[in-house]
Every structure is written in C-alpha cells, then in structure tokens.
CSV table of all heavy atoms in Angstrom, one decimal:
chain,number,residue,atom,x,y,z
A,1,SER,N,-1.9,-19.6,1.0
A,1,SER,CA,-2.4,-18.5,0.2
A,1,SER,C,-3.6,-17.9,1.0
A,1,SER,O,-4.6,-18.7,1.3
A,1,SER,CB,-2.7,-18.7,-1.2
A,1,SER,OG,-3.8,-19.7,-1.3
A,2,ALA,N,-3.6,-16.6,1.2
A,2,ALA,CA,-4.7,-16.0,2.0
A,2,ALA,C,-5.4,-14.8,1.2
A,2,ALA,O,-4.6,-14.2,0.4
A,2,ALA,CB,-4.2,-15.6,3.4
A,3,GLU,N,-6.6,-14.5,1.6
A,3,GLU,CA,-7.3,-13.5,0.9
A,3,GLU,C,-8.3,-12.8,1.9
A,3,GLU,O,-8.9,-13.5,2.6
A,3,GLU,CB,-8.0,-14.0,-0.4
A,3,GLU,CG,-8.5,-13.0,-1.3
A,3,GLU,CD,-9.0,-13.6,-2.7
A,3,GLU,OE1,-9.2,-14.8,-2.6
A,3,GLU,OE2,-9.1,-12.8,-3.6
A,4,LEU,N,-8.4,-11.5,1.9
A,4,LEU,CA,-9.3,-10.7,2.7
A,4,LEU,C,-10.2,-10.0,1.7
A,4,LEU,O,-9.8,-9.4,0.7
A,4,LEU,CB,-8.6,-9.8,3.7
A,4,LEU,CG,-7.6,-10.4,4.6
A,4,LEU,CD1,-6.9,-9.3,5.4
A,4,LEU,CD2,-8.3,-11.3,5.6
A,5,GLY,N,-11.4,-9.8,2.1
A,5,GLY,CA,-12.4,-9.1,1.3
A,5,GLY,C,-13.5,-8.4,2.1
A,5,GLY,O,-13.8,-8.8,3.2
A,6,THR,N,-14.1,-7.4,1.5
A,6,THR,CA,-15.1,-6.6,2.2
A,6,THR,C,-16.1,-6.0,1.2
A,6,THR,O,-15.8,-5.8,0.0
A,6,THR,CB,-14.5,-5.6,3.1
A,6,THR,OG1,-15.6,-5.0,3.9
A,6,THR,CG2,-13.9,-4.5,2.3
A,7,LYS,N,-17.3,-5.7,1.7
A,7,LYS,CA,-18.3,-5.0,0.8
A,7,LYS,C,-18.9,-3.9,1.7
A,7,LYS,O,-19.3,-4.2,2.9
A,7,LYS,CB,-19.3,-6.0,0.4
A,7,LYS,CG,-20.5,-5.4,-0.4
A,7,LYS,CD,-21.5,-6.4,-0.8
A,7,LYS,CE,-22.8,-5.9,-1.4
A,7,LYS,NZ,-23.7,-6.9,-1.9
A,8,TYR,N,-19.0,-2.8,1.2
A,8,TYR,CA,-19.7,-1.7,1.9
A,8,TYR,C,-20.8,-1.1,1.1
A,8,TYR,O,-20.6,-0.7,-0.1
A,8,TYR,CB,-18.6,-0.5,2.2
A,8,TYR,CG,-19.3,0.6,3.0
A,8,TYR,CD1,-19.7,0.5,4.2
A,8,TYR,CD2,-19.4,1.9,2.3
A,8,TYR,CE1,-20.3,1.6,4.9
A,8,TYR,CE2,-19.9,3.0,3.0
A,8,TYR,CZ,-20.4,2.8,4.3
A,8,TYR,OH,-20.9,3.9,5.0
A,9,ILE,N,-22.0,-1.1,1.6
A,9,ILE,CA,-23.2,-0.5,1.0
A,9,ILE,C,-23.3,0.9,1.2
A,9,ILE,O,-23.5,1.4,2.3
A,9,ILE,CB,-24.5,-1.3,1.4
A,9,ILE,CG1,-24.3,-2.8,1.2
A,9,ILE,CG2,-25.7,-0.7,0.8
A,9,ILE,CD1,-25.5,-3.6,1.7
A,10,LEU,N,-23.1,1.7,0.1
A,10,LEU,CA,-23.2,3.1,0.2
A,10,LEU,C,-24.6,3.7,0.4
A,10,LEU,O,-24.8,4.6,1.3
A,10,LEU,CB,-22.6,3.8,-1.1
A,10,LEU,CG,-21.1,3.4,-1.4
A,10,LEU,CD1,-20.7,3.9,-2.7
A,10,LEU,CD2,-20.2,4.0,-0.3
A,11,ASP,N,-25.5,3.2,-0.4
A,11,ASP,CA,-26.9,3.5,-0.2
A,11,ASP,C,-27.7,2.4,-0.9
A,11,ASP,O,-27.2,1.3,-1.2
A,11,ASP,CB,-27.3,4.9,-0.8
A,11,ASP,CG,-26.8,5.0,-2.2
A,11,ASP,OD1,-27.0,4.0,-3.0
A,11,ASP,OD2,-26.3,6.1,-2.6
A,12,GLN,N,-29.0,2.6,-1.1
A,12,GLN,CA,-29.8,1.5,-1.6
A,12,GLN,C,-29.6,1.2,-3.0
A,12,GLN,O,-30.0,0.1,-3.6
A,12,GLN,CB,-31.3,1.8,-1.5
A,12,GLN,CG,-31.8,3.1,-2.2
A,12,GLN,CD,-33.2,3.4,-2.1
A,12,GLN,OE1,-33.9,2.7,-1.4
A,12,GLN,NE2,-33.7,4.4,-2.8
A,13,ASP,N,-28.8,2.0,-3.7
A,13,ASP,CA,-28.5,1.8,-5.1
A,13,ASP,C,-27.0,1.6,-5.4
A,13,ASP,O,-26.7,1.4,-6.6
A,13,ASP,CB,-29.0,3.0,-5.9
A,13,ASP,CG,-30.5,3.1,-5.9
A,13,ASP,OD1,-31.2,2.1,-5.9
A,13,ASP,OD2,-31.0,4.2,-5.9
A,14,ALA,N,-26.1,1.7,-4.5
A,14,ALA,CA,-24.7,1.6,-4.8
A,14,ALA,C,-23.9,0.9,-3.7
A,14,ALA,O,-24.3,1.0,-2.5
A,14,ALA,CB,-24.2,3.0,-5.0
A,15,TYR,N,-22.9,0.2,-4.1
A,15,TYR,CA,-22.0,-0.4,-3.1
A,15,TYR,C,-20.6,-0.6,-3.7
A,15,TYR,O,-20.4,-0.6,-4.9
A,15,TYR,CB,-22.5,-1.7,-2.6
A,15,TYR,CG,-22.8,-2.8,-3.6
A,15,TYR,CD1,-21.7,-3.7,-4.1
A,15,TYR,CD2,-24.1,-3.0,-4.1
A,15,TYR,CE1,-22.0,-4.6,-5.0
A,15,TYR,CE2,-24.3,-3.9,-5.1
A,15,TYR,CZ,-23.3,-4.7,-5.5
A,15,TYR,OH,-23.6,-5.7,-6.5
A,16,VAL,N,-19.6,-0.7,-2.8
A,16,VAL,CA,-18.2,-0.8,-3.3
A,16,VAL,C,-17.7,-2.2,-2.6
A,16,VAL,O,-18.1,-2.6,-1.5
A,16,VAL,CB,-17.3,0.3,-2.9
A,16,VAL,CG1,-17.7,1.6,-3.6
A,16,VAL,CG2,-17.4,0.6,-1.4
A,17,LYS,N,-16.7,-2.8,-3.3
A,17,LYS,CA,-16.1,-4.0,-2.8
A,17,LYS,C,-14.6,-3.9,-2.9
A,17,LYS,O,-14.1,-3.2,-3.9
A,17,LYS,CB,-16.6,-5.2,-3.5
A,17,LYS,CG,-18.1,-5.5,-3.4
A,17,LYS,CD,-18.6,-6.7,-4.2
A,17,LYS,CE,-18.1,-8.0,-3.5
A,17,LYS,NZ,-18.7,-9.2,-4.2
A,18,ALA,N,-13.9,-4.6,-2.1
A,18,ALA,CA,-12.4,-4.6,-2.1
A,18,ALA,C,-11.9,-6.0,-1.6
A,18,ALA,O,-12.6,-6.6,-0.8
A,18,ALA,CB,-11.8,-3.5,-1.3
A,19,LYS,N,-10.8,-6.4,-2.2
A,19,LYS,CA,-10.2,-7.7,-1.8
A,19,LYS,C,-8.7,-7.6,-2.1
A,19,LYS,O,-8.3,-6.9,-3.0
A,19,LYS,CB,-10.8,-8.9,-2.5
A,19,LYS,CG,-10.6,-8.9,-4.0
A,19,LYS,CD,-11.2,-10.2,-4.6
A,19,LYS,CE,-11.0,-10.3,-6.1
A,19,LYS,NZ,-11.6,-11.5,-6.7
A,20,VAL,N,-7.9,-8.3,-1.2
A,20,VAL,CA,-6.4,-8.3,-1.4
A,20,VAL,C,-6.0,-9.7,-0.9
A,20,VAL,O,-6.5,-10.3,0.0
A,20,VAL,CB,-5.8,-7.2,-0.6
A,20,VAL,CG1,-6.0,-7.3,0.9
A,20,VAL,CG2,-4.3,-7.1,-0.9
A,21,ASP,N,-4.9,-10.2,-1.6
A,21,ASP,CA,-4.4,-11.5,-1.3
A,21,ASP,C,-2.9,-11.3,-0.9
A,21,ASP,O,-2.3,-10.2,-1.0
A,21,ASP,CB,-4.5,-12.5,-2.4
A,21,ASP,CG,-3.8,-12.1,-3.6
A,21,ASP,OD1,-2.8,-11.3,-3.5
A,21,ASP,OD2,-4.1,-12.6,-4.7
A,22,ASN,N,-2.3,-12.4,-0.4
A,22,ASN,CA,-0.9,-12.3,0.2
A,22,ASN,C,0.1,-12.1,-0.9
A,22,ASN,O,1.3,-11.9,-0.6
A,22,ASN,CB,-0.6,-13.5,1.0
A,22,ASN,CG,-0.7,-14.8,0.2
A,22,ASN,OD1,-1.6,-14.9,-0.6
A,22,ASN,ND2,0.3,-15.7,0.5
A,23,ALA,N,-0.3,-12.2,-2.2
A,23,ALA,CA,0.6,-11.9,-3.3
A,23,ALA,C,0.6,-10.4,-3.7
A,23,ALA,O,1.3,-10.0,-4.6
A,23,ALA,CB,0.2,-12.8,-4.5
A,24,GLY,N,-0.2,-9.6,-3.0
A,24,GLY,CA,-0.3,-8.2,-3.2
A,24,GLY,C,-1.2,-7.8,-4.4
A,24,GLY,O,-1.2,-6.6,-4.8
A,25,ARG,N,-2.1,-8.7,-4.8
A,25,ARG,CA,-3.1,-8.3,-5.8
A,25,ARG,C,-4.3,-7.7,-5.1
A,25,ARG,O,-4.9,-8.3,-4.2
A,25,ARG,CB,-3.5,-9.5,-6.6
A,25,ARG,CG,-2.4,-10.1,-7.5
A,25,ARG,CD,-2.9,-11.3,-8.3
A,25,ARG,NE,-3.2,-12.4,-7.5
A,25,ARG,CZ,-2.4,-13.4,-7.3
A,25,ARG,NH1,-1.2,-13.4,-7.9
A,25,ARG,NH2,-2.6,-14.4,-6.5
A,26,LEU,N,-4.7,-6.5,-5.5
A,26,LEU,CA,-5.7,-5.7,-5.0
A,26,LEU,C,-6.9,-5.6,-6.0
A,26,LEU,O,-6.7,-5.1,-7.1
A,26,LEU,CB,-5.2,-4.3,-4.6
A,26,LEU,CG,-6.3,-3.3,-4.1
A,26,LEU,CD1,-6.9,-3.7,-2.8
A,26,LEU,CD2,-5.7,-1.9,-4.0
A,27,GLY,N,-8.1,-6.0,-5.6
A,27,GLY,CA,-9.2,-5.9,-6.4
A,27,GLY,C,-10.2,-4.9,-5.9
A,27,GLY,O,-10.4,-4.9,-4.7
A,28,LEU,N,-10.7,-4.0,-6.7
A,28,LEU,CA,-11.7,-3.0,-6.4
A,28,LEU,C,-12.8,-3.0,-7.4
A,28,LEU,O,-12.7,-3.3,-8.5
A,28,LEU,CB,-11.0,-1.6,-6.4
A,28,LEU,CG,-9.8,-1.4,-5.5
A,28,LEU,CD1,-9.1,0.0,-5.8
A,28,LEU,CD2,-10.2,-1.5,-4.0
A,29,SER,N,-14.1,-2.8,-6.8
A,29,SER,CA,-15.2,-2.7,-7.7
A,29,SER,C,-16.2,-1.7,-7.1
A,29,SER,O,-16.3,-1.5,-5.9
A,29,SER,CB,-15.9,-4.1,-7.9
A,29,SER,OG,-16.7,-4.4,-6.8
A,30,TYR,N,-17.0,-1.2,-8.1
A,30,TYR,CA,-18.1,-0.2,-7.7
A,30,TYR,C,-19.2,-0.6,-8.6
A,30,TYR,O,-19.2,-0.8,-9.8
A,30,TYR,CB,-17.6,1.3,-8.0
A,30,TYR,CG,-18.8,2.2,-7.9
A,30,TYR,CD1,-19.2,2.7,-6.6
A,30,TYR,CD2,-19.4,2.7,-9.0
A,30,TYR,CE1,-20.2,3.6,-6.5
A,30,TYR,CE2,-20.5,3.6,-8.9
A,30,TYR,CZ,-20.9,4.1,-7.6
A,30,TYR,OH,-21.9,4.9,-7.5
A,31,THR,N,-20.4,-0.8,-7.9
A,31,THR,CA,-21.6,-1.2,-8.5
A,31,THR,C,-22.7,-0.2,-8.3
A,31,THR,O,-22.9,0.2,-7.1
A,31,THR,CB,-22.1,-2.6,-8.0
A,31,THR,OG1,-21.1,-3.5,-8.4
A,31,THR,CG2,-23.4,-3.0,-8.7
A,32,GLN,N,-23.4,0.3,-9.3
A,32,GLN,CA,-24.4,1.3,-9.2
A,32,GLN,C,-25.6,0.8,-9.9
A,32,GLN,O,-25.6,0.4,-11.1
A,32,GLN,CB,-23.9,2.6,-9.8
A,32,GLN,CG,-24.9,3.7,-9.8
A,32,GLN,CD,-25.2,4.3,-8.5
A,32,GLN,OE1,-24.3,4.7,-7.8
A,32,GLN,NE2,-26.5,4.5,-8.2
A,33,VAL,N,-26.8,0.9,-9.3
A,33,VAL,CA,-28.1,0.7,-9.9
A,33,VAL,C,-28.5,2.0,-10.6
A,33,VAL,O,-28.8,3.0,-9.9
A,33,VAL,CB,-29.2,0.2,-9.0
A,33,VAL,CG1,-30.5,0.1,-9.7
A,33,VAL,CG2,-28.8,-1.1,-8.3
A,34,MET,N,-28.4,2.1,-11.9
A,34,MET,CA,-28.6,3.4,-12.7
A,34,MET,C,-30.1,3.8,-12.6
A,34,MET,O,-30.4,4.9,-12.4
A,34,MET,CB,-28.2,3.2,-14.1
A,34,MET,CG,-26.8,2.6,-14.2
A,34,MET,SD,-25.5,3.6,-13.6
A,34,MET,CE,-25.5,5.0,-14.7
C-alpha cells in the first residue's frame, strides 16, 4: 500500500494539503489563520 502527500504554503496565513493512496482515496485540506 502506497501513499503520496504534499503541502503548499499559499502565504503566511494559509496553506493547502493533498494526499492520495493506491486505493484511490483522495484527501484535501485547506487551513487558514483567521
């Protein structure tokens, strides 16, 4: 079973993350410092 993931910092207050595994499950997230 394999999984790939990444994180991208948009600016000092926000970033997005994504991950996917070999079963086709895709995870997405968005984090914001309000």
Side-chain angles (χ1 to χ4, degrees):
S1 61
E3 195 171 15
L4 301 174
T6 187
K7 175 181 177 180
Y8 179 67
I9 300 175
L10 300 172
D11 53 44
Q12 63 179 3
D13 294 326
Y15 57 86
V16 293
K17 297 179 72 174
K19 62 179 181 178
V20 63
D21 63 20
N22 61 320
R25 291 184 291 263
L26 173 66
L28 301 172
S29 81
Y30 172 77
T31 300
Q32 174 76 51
V33 177
M34 313 296 290

